C-alpha cells in the first residue's frame, strides 16, 4: 500500500468515527442539556469534517494533533452516566487522562472527572428563561442566532420576542431574510419561516414575536406571555441607568446592554468579573468588543508578570456608524468613506479597563484606527511588565492559559504563520493571541490579539446572559485556577 493509500484509509476511518460521534453528541445535548466541547469549542450540531478539523486544531495549541480515536472512548463513557446540565470538554478529559498515572480505566476516570455533574450533585433543569432582544442589527441578529442554537432541550434561554421600530412594506420578511443570510457570517444553520398574520418569525421551531415600538413605554410584554425576561438592548440608544431603566416594565426582570455602560452601570467582561454581579442587579453592560478583547489577556499577563503600564492600539473593522461615502458625521473623521479610508478615531476600551479590572493600578492608554474590512479586528497591546521575561516563556504561559485556565473560553491561541483577519470570522473567543507576531524584550511585551468584533463579542454577551439567568452550566473537567 502506498503512503497516499494509507493516508486516505486513515482519513476514512476517522470520518467513520466522527460520524458515530454525532448522534451521541446530539442526544446528550437534546435530552440532558449536556454540551460536548473540544478544547472549549462546541461539537454540537457540527459536521463530520468540522469535528475532524476541531480535533486537528488542537495541534496548534497543544503541540500535537488530537485524534477522534482518543476522544471517542470518553464520549462513550459519558453515555453510561446519569448526567445533569453541564459542559464537558472531551479534549481536556483525554489530556488529563494521559497525564494521570493511577492506571484507571477510561470509564472510571471519566466518572470521577465529571462527578460534579452526576447523581445527587447534578443541576436540575429549570423551566428556562425568557429573553427579549431590543433592536435587531448586527449584534442583535448574531445574538438571536446563538440563542436559537443554544435552545437545546428548551430548558435554557428562550428567545421570545424582538422589538424593532416600524418599517415599511414587507418589513417582517426583510428582517427574517437578514437573519437567514449574512454576507459575513454565512447562512443561518436551520430553517426560518415567517407568519405575517401573527408577526412571528419561526426559526428552528422557535417562535419569535416581532413587536413594533418606537419607545420601551409602548410595549406590554405580559400581553405576549413574557415573564421575568432578560432584555438585551443592542441599540446603544440608552447607556446610563436612567435610560436603561425604561425597559424595566412588567415582564422584564433584567436589562443587558451590548455597549459600554455609563455612570454606575457595571461593565462586565465574562471570565474576568462576571462573578461580581450582584443577584439583585437589574441593569448591566457587556462593555465593548475591544474591552472584551484586551481585558482577559491583560488580566492573564498581570496575574503572572505584573503590569506597570500599557497602551492598546486597535486596528478595527468599519461599522455601521460610519459612512459608505463622504457625508456629514458628528465625529471629526468618521464621516469620511469607511470602505476607502483608514480612519483615526478614539476608543473607550482603555478607560473601560478600570471598571472591569479595578485591582489593576497600571495606567492604560488607547487609540484606534478604523480600516476597510467588514469584520475582525486586531488589538496591539504593548505592556511594561514588573519583571523581565522571554518570548518563549510568555507564549508557553498564554498557550497554557488558553487550554487550562478559567479564561480558556475567552483567550484562544494560534501559531499559524500565515493567519490573516478573515481566518477568525466566527471565532467564539473574545481574543486570539497571535504567537508569531508576539514581541518580548526584557520587561516589554507586545501582544497581537485578533478578535471577531461581531461574533466573538456576541458570544461574550450570551455568556453574561447565561450567568445572570442561572443557566450557565459548569464545565468539566474543572479548569485549573
Amino acid at each position: 500500500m502506498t503512503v497516499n493509500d494509507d493516508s486516505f484509509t486513515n482519513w476514512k476511518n476517522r470520518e467513520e468515527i466522527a460520524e458515530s460521534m454525532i448522534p451521541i453528541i446530539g442526544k446528550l445535548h437534546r435530552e440532558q442539556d449536556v454540551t460536548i466541547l473540544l478544547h472549549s469549542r462546541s461539537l454540537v450540531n457540527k459536521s463530520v469534517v468540522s469535528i475532524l478539523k476541531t480535533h486537528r486544531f488542537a495541534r496548534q495549541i497543544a503541540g500535537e494533533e488530537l485524534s477522534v480515536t482518543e476522544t471517542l472512548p470518553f464520549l462513550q463513557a459519558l453515555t453510561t452516566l446519569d448526567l445533569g446540565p453541564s459542559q464537558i470538554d472531551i479534549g481536556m478529559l483525554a489530556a488529563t487522562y494521559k497525564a494521570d498515572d493511577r492506571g484507571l480505566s477510561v470509564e472510571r476516570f471519566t466518572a470521577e472527572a465529571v462527578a460534579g455533574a452526576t447523581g445527587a450533585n447534578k443541576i436540575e433543569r429549570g423551566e428556562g428563561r425568557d429573553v427579549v432582544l431590543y433592536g435587531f442589527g448586527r449584534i442583535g441578529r448574531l445574538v438571536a442566532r446563538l440563542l436559537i442554537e443554544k435552545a437545546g432541550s428548551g430548558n435554557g434561554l428562550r428567545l421570545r420576542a424582538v422589538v424593532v421600530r416600524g418599517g415599511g412594506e414587507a418589513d417582517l420578511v426583510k428582517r427574517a431574510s437578514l437573519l437567514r443570510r449574512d454576507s459575513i457570517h454565512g447562512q443561518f444553520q436551520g430553517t426560518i419561516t415567517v407568519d405575517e398574520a401573527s408577526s412571528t418569525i419561526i426559526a428552528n421551531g422557535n417562535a419569535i414575536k416581532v413587536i413594533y415600538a418606537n419607545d420601551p413605554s409602548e410595549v406590554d410584554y405580559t400581553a405576549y406571555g413574557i415573564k421575568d425576561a432578560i432584555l438585551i438592548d443592542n441599540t446603544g440608544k440608552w447607556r446610563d441607568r436612567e435610560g436603561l431603566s425604561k425597559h424595566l416594565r412588567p415582564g422584564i426582570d433584567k436589562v443587558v446592554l451590548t455597549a459600554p455602560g455609563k455612570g454606575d452601570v457595571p461593565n462586565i467582561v465574562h471570565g474576568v468579573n462576571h462573578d461580581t454581579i450582584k443577584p439583585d442587579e437589574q441593569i448591566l453592560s457587556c462593555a465593548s468588543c475591544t474591552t472584551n478583547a484586551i481585558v482577559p489577556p491583560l488580566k492573564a499577563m498581570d496575574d503572572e508578570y505584573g503590569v506597570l503600564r500599557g497602551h492598546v492600539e486597535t486596528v478595527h473593522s468599519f461599522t455601521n456608524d460610519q459612512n459608505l461615502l463622504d457625508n456629514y458625521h458628528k465625529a471629526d473623521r468618521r464621516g469620511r468613506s469607511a470602505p476607502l479610508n483608514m480612519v483615526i478615531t478614539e476608543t473607550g476600551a482603555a478607560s473601560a479597563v478600570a471598571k472591569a479590572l479595578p485591582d489593576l493600578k497600571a495606567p492604560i492608554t488607547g487609540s484606534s484606527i478604523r480600516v476597510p474590512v467588514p469584520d475582525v479586528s486586531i488589538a496591539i497591546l504593548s505592556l511594561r511588565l514588573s519583571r523581565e521575561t522571554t518570548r518563549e516563556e510568555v507564549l508557553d504561559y498564554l498557550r497554557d492559559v488558553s487550554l487550562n485556565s478559567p479564561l480558556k473560553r475567552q483567550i484562544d491561541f494560534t501559531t499559524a504563520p500565515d493567519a490573516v483577519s478573515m481566518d477568525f470570522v466566527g471565532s467564539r473567543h473574545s481574543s486570539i493571541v497571535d504567537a508569531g507576531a508576539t514581541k518580548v524584550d526584557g520587561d516589554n511585551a507586545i501582544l497581537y490579539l485578533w478578535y471577531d468584533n461581531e461574533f466573538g463579542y456576541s458570544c461574550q454577551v450570551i455568556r453574561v446572559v447565561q450567568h445572570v439567568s442561572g443557566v450557565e452550566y459548569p464545565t468539566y473537567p474543572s479548569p485549573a485556577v
Side-chain angles (χ1 to χ4, degrees), residues 129 228-232 247-248 251-256 277-284 468-469:
R129 192 70 176 269
D228 297 325
I230 298 172
L231 183 144
I232 303 173
H247 291 301
L248 293 173
I252 303 298
D253 180 55
K254 295 181 185 292
V255 179
V256 175
I277 301 173
K278 298 176 182 177
D280 60 349
E281 179 60 75
Q282 289 188 288
I283 295 174
L284 53 92
V468 299
S469 70

Side-chain angles (χ1 to χ4, degrees), residues 207-219:
I208 306 161
K209 185 75 175 181
V210 178
I211 303 169
Y212 293 96
N214 294 314
D215 187 83
S217 63
E218 299 177 8
V219 187

Side-chain angles (χ1 to χ4, degrees), residues 289-323:
C289 56
T290 300
T291 303
N292 277 265
I294 65 173
V295 166
L298 186 55
K299 173 177 168 46
M301 292 296 287
D302 187 51
D303 286 347
E304 179 68 16
Y305 300 102
V307 173
L308 300 180
R309 65 171 179 266
H311 176 80
V312 60
E313 187 78 33
T314 68
V315 182
H316 200 291
S317 58
F318 62 76
T319 61
N320 266 334
D321 82 315
Q322 294 173 255
N323 293 330

Side-chain angles (χ1 to χ4, degrees), residues 141-186:
R141 292 194 297 274
L142 291 177
V143 167
R145 285 188 174 200
L146 286 164
L147 287 168
I148 294 163
E149 170 195 303
K150 293 179 180 296
S153 64
N155 290 286
L157 300 173
R158 301 178 301 193
L159 177 56
R160 296 292 306 280
V162 173
V163 182
V164 294
R165 287 179 294 184
E169 185 179 353
D171 180 273
L172 191 66
V173 172
K174 290 178 180 178
R175 293 186 188 278
S177 182
L178 285 169
L179 179 62
R180 182 182 292 114
R181 303 178 185 89
D182 191 283
S183 299
I184 296 169
H185 301 282

Side-chain angles (χ1 to χ4, degrees), residues 129-134 216 221 228-236 238-249 251-259 261 265-266 268 277 280-286 461 464-465 468:
R129 192 70 176 269
D130 290 351
V131 178
V132 172
L133 294 180
Y134 200 95
Y221 293 101
D228 297 325
I230 298 172
L231 183 144
I232 303 173
D233 183 330
N234 54 86
T235 67
W238 304 280
R239 292 172 58 184
D240 59 11
R241 188 172 294 275
E242 180 182 1
L244 292 167
S245 293
K246 295 179 180 181
H247 291 301
L248 293 173
R249 302 174 51 75
I252 303 298
D253 180 55
K254 295 181 185 292
V255 179
V256 175
L257 171 66
T258 64
V265 175
I268 303 300
I277 301 173
D280 60 349
E281 179 60 75
Q282 289 188 288
I283 295 174
L284 53 92
S285 155
C286 291
V461 172
V464 171
V465 173
V468 299

